[in-house]
């Protein structure tokens, strides 16, 4: 499974059971980077064209090997051994947060980094990491 998450400067992913931010340009860039359909939960459905997504109840349980999912508001800790690649999209801003990315990146290898301007964010950083344990 490959997971996409958005984080702020403090690795926050959500606040008060809501996403911190969104950016249309980022959503378009994500779809250019992946092949196949992106698995999303109903909460994220409106971000992406309907022909490029599959709506599921739980992205972390219903995404298979090699497939991509977009995860918001969820802990990844319990699924970390199933995650092959992790795409971290950094807002490069400080937002309030009460849910944080709970994966230790010391166990991962950075594959690529790309910076681009979004619609509502001057700079967004997209990083792709691979799980060292799976790819040893």
């Amino acid at each position: 499974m490959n997971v996409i998450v958005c984080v702020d400067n403090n690795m926050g992913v959500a606040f008060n059971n809501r996403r911190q931010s969104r950016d249309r340009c980022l959503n378009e860039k994500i779809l250019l980077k992946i092949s196949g359909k992106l698995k999303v939960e109903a909460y994220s459905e409106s971000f992406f064209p309907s022909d490029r997504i599959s709506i599921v109840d739980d992205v972390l349980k219903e995404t298979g090997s090699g497939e991509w999912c977009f995860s918001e508001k969820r802990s990844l800790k319990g699924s970390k051994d199933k995650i092959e690649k992790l795409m971290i999209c950094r807002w490069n801003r400080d937002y309030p947060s009460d849910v944080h990315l709970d994966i230790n990146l010391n166990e991962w290898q950075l594959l690529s980094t790309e910076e681009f301007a979004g619609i509502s964010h001057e700079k967004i950083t997209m990083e792709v990491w691979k799980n060292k344990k799976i790819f040893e």
Side-chain angles (χ1 to χ4, degrees):
M1 150 174 61
N2 302 310
V3 179
I4 302 164
V5 297
C6 298
V7 301
D8 72 352
N9 288 335
N10 299 306
M11 301 302 270
V13 297
F15 178 67
N16 199 21
N17 204 32
R18 295 187 326 242
R19 72 181 57 88
Q20 294 175 310
S21 189
R22 65 179 281 188
D23 191 292
R24 186 177 74 243
C25 185
L26 172 61
N27 300 338
E28 293 167 1
K29 182 76 87 173
I30 286 170
L31 293 176
L32 289 173
K33 295 285 184 185
I34 68 163
S35 60
K37 289 201 173 201
L38 178 65
K39 293 199 177 185
V40 302
E41 294 172 358
Y43 182 75
S44 307
E45 175 183 6
S46 65
F47 287 176
F48 302 98
S50 61
D51 63 327
R52 290 294 315 270
I53 61 171
S54 292
I55 301 163
V56 297
D57 291 328
D58 186 332
V59 292
L60 299 179
K61 290 183 180 174
E62 299 178 55
T63 302
S65 179
E67 295 179 319
W68 284 94
C69 69
F70 186 72
S71 177
E72 295 187 276
K73 308 186 310 179
R74 290 195 172 269
S75 166
L76 300 182
K77 189 175 185 178
S79 301
K80 71 176 182 158
D81 293 333
K82 288 181 20 179
I83 300 172
E84 301 157 57
K85 291 183 182 173
L86 180 63
M87 182 185 292
I88 300 175
C89 303
R90 298 180 184 268
W91 297 125
N92 297 305
R93 289 189 185 166
D94 294 323
Y95 289 116
S97 59
D98 54 13
V99 178
H100 294 84
L101 182 63
D102 54 359
I103 296 239
N104 181 351
L105 292 176
N106 290 333
E107 300 170 5
W108 296 73
Q109 179 182 347
L110 182 62
L111 296 176
S112 65
T113 302
E114 178 181 353
E115 291 184 349
F116 56 94
I119 302 297
S120 58
H121 293 77
E122 187 174 305
K123 179 175 83 168
I124 298 172
T125 306
M126 180 182 282
E127 301 170 345
V128 178
W129 296 77
K130 78 174 183 178
N131 188 332
K132 289 181 191 176
K133 290 181 181 178
I134 292 177
F135 290 100
E136 288 179 333

